[in-house]
Amino acid sequence: MTSYYPPITYIVPPDEDGWLLKTILQKRMDVSRKLLSRLKMTDLGITLNGERVYISVKVSSGDRVEIRMEEETSEDILPQPIPFEILYEDGHLLVVNKAAGIIVHPTHGHYTETLANGVVHYWAEKGERVRFRPVHRLDQETSGVLVIAKNPYSHQHISEQMIAGTVDKRYAAFVHGVPAVPSGDIDGPIDRDPLEPHRRIVTPDGYPSLTRYEVKEVYPRAASRVELKLESGRTHQIRVHMSSIGCPLIGDGMYRHPLYGQPGASPAPGGALAPEAGALPDGGQRGAEPTQPGGGQQAAGLTPAGGGQLTPEEAAQLAEIAALDASIPRQALHAVRLSFRHPVTHADLVFEAPLPPDMALLQAKLREIAARE
């Protein structure tokens, strides 16, 4: 026997009396063509006043239109008891505060220990048959708000909001340097680096990408906290865009400060912000990454090839940069806020996640130095 998720219902108002059911489904319930085709093939996928009908029939005022989607599971994802923080859940959505260090979805060579494994296990324990459908992604080492749809209809609707630009995604980041102006737009097309395909670069031939930023706090030793709003969703977008204006994220081992690439650069770990033993939380499960690992201690000790020497001023600056990078085990980026319209109730939803412990500690240390200078 086919099992269904709870129906999504629409009551026909007087001014839509006589409309075709197909029009109600597409124009009022916003059912996509793909989902409509799928519902038509399902026994109780589309009903009018509880009866299965053709979508070519006309409706009357007060009629009850319902769509039902078959229950699904992610059979290719192994359930694992991996803890995660829930911000909100109903029959249509799950919103979580993703920890740094955990991959969202299994990838080639990384089939376990992901957020998906934990969520699938959580649903199974509740007796729910739900397929894992993340509406968007966060990098492994980026923490914060993430929304997961529990059925195709919800996934379609929130995805469409993202395409339309009505989903508000805000991030908090700590960066090297201070942007030249306190707020502005970074409008730079992004594509793969042809020399290193796992990296992205700003290039005229790339995909249109827009990031809005605002400086929230400035610290001595050339660092700042910025709030960012994504108007597009390219891979590594914030990391690439901030690096492109000379303000790479603190702790980012892939998009590092350009001084690391100068001939003769060999900063020693430590400095004003070097962490004491045990001072930093681990920031979540770390494991292997699908891309190159992020910065922290690793970035501080790299020695580029080539001859020549940094000037004393550059060497001092690089030592401070390396100390900042050593103070957090990943890029200092957190999805702090996400708002969108609920796909079924149409209520405006806003979800926020405070800075995680590692970024809060970084902020406290930066403020402590600022107070001393």
Side-chain angles (χ1 to χ4, degrees):
M1 181 177 177
T2 303
S3 298
Y4 298 91
Y5 296 119
I8 297 173
T9 304
Y10 182 81
I11 305 299
V12 179
D15 60 344
E16 294 170 7
D17 186 277
W19 284 26
L20 293 178
L21 176 57
K22 179 180 180 180
T23 304
I24 294 292
L25 292 166
Q26 293 182 324
K27 302 297 184 182
R28 290 296 178 261
M29 300 184 73
D30 297 320
V31 177
S32 68
R33 289 183 180 181
K34 181 179 179 180
L35 180 56
L36 183 59
S37 297
R38 186 172 172 179
L39 294 172
K40 287 164 61 178
M41 302 298 292
T42 306
D43 287 342
L44 296 179
I46 301 170
T47 61
L48 182 65
N49 299 320
E51 300 291 331
R52 186 180 183 188
V53 296
Y54 291 106
I55 63 173
S56 57
V57 303
K58 292 184 178 181
V59 301
S60 300
S61 174
D63 279 352
R64 186 178 77 257
V65 180
E66 292 181 321
I67 62 172
R68 292 175 177 82
M69 290 160 285
E70 294 178 289
E71 290 183 348
E72 301 174 276
T73 57
S74 295
E75 297 180 357
D76 56 338
I77 298 177
L78 176 69
Q80 289 181 290
I82 298 171
F84 58 92
E85 180 184 354
I86 297 175
L87 300 178
Y88 174 85
E89 185 177 19
D90 62 16
H92 309 281
L93 303 171
L94 173 66
V95 183
V96 305
N97 181 13
K98 187 187 91 69
I102 187 167
I103 301 171
V104 172
H105 197 284
T107 60
H108 180 68
H110 303 275
Y111 303 111
T112 60
E113 305 298 326
T114 72
L115 177 64
N117 298 110
V119 170
V120 167
H121 178 271
Y122 162 73
W123 283 332
E125 289 291 296
K126 292 177 61 180
E128 293 189 27
R129 289 172 50 85
V130 183
R131 181 179 171 185
F132 185 79
R133 288 185 174 87
V135 181
H136 59 117
R137 305 292 176 94
L138 294 175
D139 291 346
Q140 178 177 358
E141 298 301 339
T142 299
S143 54
V145 184
L146 179 77
V147 59
I148 301 160
K150 298 177 73 172
N151 57 60
Y153 183 84
S154 296
H155 189 278
Q156 169 210 320
H157 273 255
I158 304 175
S159 297
E160 288 175 350
Q161 291 179 53
M162 288 187 170
I163 293 171
T166 57
V167 174
D168 190 355
K169 294 185 286 185
R170 303 290 176 110
Y171 292 76
F174 293 91
V175 302
H176 294 292
V178 182
V181 293
S183 63
D185 296 346
I186 307 173
D187 189 356
I190 292 176
D191 205 348
R192 291 181 182 272
D193 185 337
L195 301 179
E196 299 180 79
H198 60 282
R199 288 171 49 90
R200 268 54 175 183
I201 58 173
V202 172
T203 172
D205 298 326
Y207 297 94
S209 308
L210 177 62
T211 303
R212 305 187 191 278
Y213 74 87
E214 181 179 356
V215 177
K216 291 296 186 179
E217 201 165 2
V218 176
Y219 312 101
R221 303 178 186 271
S224 54
R225 177 171 66 89
V226 295
E227 181 180 276
L228 305 115
K229 179 181 179 182
L230 287 182
E231 299 294 352
S232 52
R234 309 301 175 197
T235 300
H236 301 174
Q237 179 172 320
I238 287 175
R239 300 163 66 189
V240 174
H241 271 172
M242 293 308 296
S243 180
S244 74
I245 64 169
C247 297
L249 270 61
I250 294 174
D252 193 339
M254 181 176 291
Y255 303 99
R256 299 186 302 152
H257 195 283
L259 275 181
Y260 280 113
Q262 295 298 315
S266 183
L273 289 181
E276 297 176 1
L280 287 176
D282 64 7
Q285 296 175 325
R286 293 192 54 81
E289 292 195 50
T291 59
Q292 182 171 318
Q297 317 281 357
Q298 296 173 337
L302 293 178
T303 304
Q309 293 293 326
L310 296 174
T311 67
E313 293 77 11
E314 289 174 332
Q317 182 185 359
L318 182 55
E320 292 179 351
I321 290 167
L324 282 173
D325 283 336
S327 66
I328 186 167
R330 48 109 176 189
Q331 69 257 14
L333 181 62
H334 178 68
V336 70
R337 186 177 188 271
L338 183 70
S339 63
F340 57 91
R341 178 162 292 186
H342 194 286
V344 177
T345 68
H346 305 298
D348 291 328
L349 303 177
V350 180
F351 301 102
E352 295 183 343
L355 289 180
D358 56 354
M359 287 181 62
L361 179 58
L362 173 61
Q363 178 175 254
K365 287 180 174 291
L366 287 166
R367 287 176 173 174
E368 179 183 348
I369 291 175
R372 294 200 306 259
E373 298 190 358

